[in-house]
């Protein structure tokens, strides 16, 4: 019984246990490293450019994502006459609606065809009443006197329009005492590229959540599907519906064989979406040569992009995998 008890309680020496633990750690790290090449995580900032690559070793395939962020997109692009937008038409469509934004201590609210006010808590000041349109400027006059009786000048505001993904007030300033300027951003003028683009919405509209600081977490991923297709995708992990500060001036996603491959990738399909899962139109993207890139009408917003291809004959690849699955049963 002593021999039985002794053998049942036998344990590996401490040094042997340490070696085994080291082997297990190394094995797990090797496995983790081998899978890391399929998925790359990276951060895109408001002023950056980079080339990110992910690989699928067993298929000898790789995908590459090139981007430039933070630079102007299609400035001074010629505008067709049928896309020109009149400020009077915008005013009519948005009449009665209000936009808000914050600048320092004060919050500002501008109502189309109504009044503009400045407030903080119980302190409220009328900055102007809508008085008309001059060119592309909305004029608001006859606000509260500036500093009576020393300065009885009435407050006034000039409001310009710009394109954005949601309505709000931006670029609020007081260039001279009691004379204000601000920009009302709205999707209503985005079809006319002669209007400035201010896609970020720092103040947001009434009740909207302030956006991020222009940093976005992205993932580049390459994988193989059950039917032998190789899928390459790059996407933001945040997928904001609106308010993203990040704007791209260019992007390119390409799928190809790696340096050790002699097989060519056969292109199947590609697609791209902006933030909010809105598909890019044909003029906003360009597809060809196993790649998808920005098009001539790309507006700067990108949330997801994908290219799908295959190496060799799809049907043959499927037959090889099916045969391999059948042979697994021989050894189980």
């Amino acid at each position: 019984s002593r021999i039985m008890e002794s053998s049942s309680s036998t344990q590996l020496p401490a040094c042997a246990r340490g070696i085994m633990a080291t082997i297990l750690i190394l094995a797990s790290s090797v496995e983790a490293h081998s899978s890391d090449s399929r998925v790359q995580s990276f951060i895109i900032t408001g002023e950056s450019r980079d080339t990110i690559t992910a690989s699928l070793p067993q298929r000898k395939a790789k995908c590459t994502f090139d981007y430039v962020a933070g630079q102007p997109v299609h400035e001074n692009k010629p505008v067709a006459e049928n896309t020109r937008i009149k400020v009077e038409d915008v005013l009519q469509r948005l009449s009665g609606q209000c936009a808000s934004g914050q600048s320092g201590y004060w919050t500002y609210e501008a109502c189309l065809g109504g009044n503009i006010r400045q407030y903080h808590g119980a302190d409220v000041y009328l900055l102007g009443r809508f008085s008309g349109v001059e060119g592309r400027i909305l004029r608001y006059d006859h606000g509260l006197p500036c500093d009576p009786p020393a300065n009885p000048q009435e407050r006034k505001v000039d409001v310009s329009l710009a394109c954005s993904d949601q309505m709000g007030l931006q670029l609020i300033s007081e260039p001279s005492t009691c004379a204000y300027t601000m920009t009302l951003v709205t999707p209503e003028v985005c079809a006319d590229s002669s209007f400035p683009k201010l896609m970020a919405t720092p103040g947001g509209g009434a009740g909207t959540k302030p956006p991020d600081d222009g940093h976005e977490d992205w993932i580049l991923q390459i994988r193989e599907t059950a039917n032998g297709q190789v899928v390459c995708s790059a996407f933001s992990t945040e997928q904001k519906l609106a308010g993203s500060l990040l704007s791209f001036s260019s992007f390119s996603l390409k799928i190809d064989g790696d340096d050790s491959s002699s097989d060519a990738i056969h292109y199947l399909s590609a697609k791209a979406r902006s933030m909010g899962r809105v598909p890019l139109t044909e003029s906003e993207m360009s597809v060809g040569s196993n790649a998808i890139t920005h098009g001539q009408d790309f507006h700067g917003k990108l949330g997801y992009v994908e290219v799908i291809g295959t190496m060799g004959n799809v049907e043959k690849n499927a037959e090889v995998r099916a045969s391999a699955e059948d042979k697994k049963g021989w050894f189980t």
Side-chain angles (χ1 to χ4, degrees), residues 102-126:
Q102 189 168 351
S103 179
Y105 178 82
W106 296 102
T107 298
Y108 297 80
E109 181 185 70
C111 296
L112 280 299
N115 300 332
I116 295 181
R117 63 182 185 135
Q118 173 192 57
Y119 63 91
H120 182 91
D123 297 327
V124 182
Y125 295 91
L126 176 67

Side-chain angles (χ1 to χ4, degrees), residues 84-105:
R84 287 199 176 276
I85 294 175
K86 295 181 179 180
V87 173
E88 291 82 358
D89 294 338
V90 176
L91 182 62
Q92 183 177 6
R93 287 195 297 270
L94 299 181
S95 180
Q97 296 188 38
C98 301
S100 66
Q102 189 168 351
S103 179
Y105 178 82

Side-chain angles (χ1 to χ4, degrees), residues 9-51:
S9 61
T10 299
Q11 297 182 355
L12 289 172
C15 61
R17 293 199 304 272
I19 292 172
M20 289 295 294
T22 302
I23 291 173
L24 290 174
I25 291 173
L26 289 174
S28 62
S29 66
V30 168
E31 181 180 356
H33 183 269
S34 65
S35 62
D36 283 349
S37 64
R38 303 179 186 183
V39 180
Q40 300 294 335
S41 300
F42 55 101
I43 296 175
I44 300 180
T45 62
E47 295 285 344
S48 62
R49 62 173 63 205
D50 205 349
T51 299

Side-chain angles (χ1 to χ4, degrees), residues 282-302:
E282 291 184 359
S283 63
E284 291 173 334
M285 62 183 183
S286 178
V287 177
S289 301
N290 301 336
I292 178 172
T293 64
H294 60 282
Q296 63 177 0
D297 292 328
F298 178 56
H299 52 70
K301 291 300 175 183
L302 188 67

Side-chain angles (χ1 to χ4, degrees), residues 163-275:
C163 163
S164 185
D165 49 3
Q166 64 179 1
M167 193 162 76
L169 294 178
Q170 296 188 43
L171 306 178
I172 301 167
S173 65
E174 189 179 359
S176 60
T177 304
C178 295
Y180 303 83
T181 62
M182 58 186 67
T183 299
L184 189 149
V185 294
T186 171
E188 291 287 337
V189 300
C190 290
D192 185 341
S193 61
S194 65
F195 283 91
K197 289 185 178 181
L198 297 174
M199 298 306 292
T201 49
T208 59
K209 181 180 178 181
D212 59 56
D213 60 357
H215 292 66
E216 286 183 5
D217 293 319
W218 275 67
I219 289 177
L220 176 65
Q221 175 179 279
I222 184 169
R223 59 186 177 85
E224 183 181 14
T225 65
N227 62 354
Q229 297 178 354
V230 179
V231 181
C232 178
S233 57
F235 52 91
S236 168
T237 61
E238 302 178 39
Q239 293 294 302
K240 305 174 187 65
L241 294 179
S244 170
L245 286 176
L246 192 64
S247 183
F248 293 83
S249 58
S250 67
F251 74 88
S252 171
L253 182 67
K254 184 176 183 179
I255 187 170
D256 207 349
D258 64 21
D259 296 336
S260 64
S261 174
S262 59
D263 295 332
I265 288 281
H266 299 282
Y267 167 80
L268 295 177
S269 65
K271 62 183 177 181
R273 297 192 296 263
S274 64
M275 286 299 187

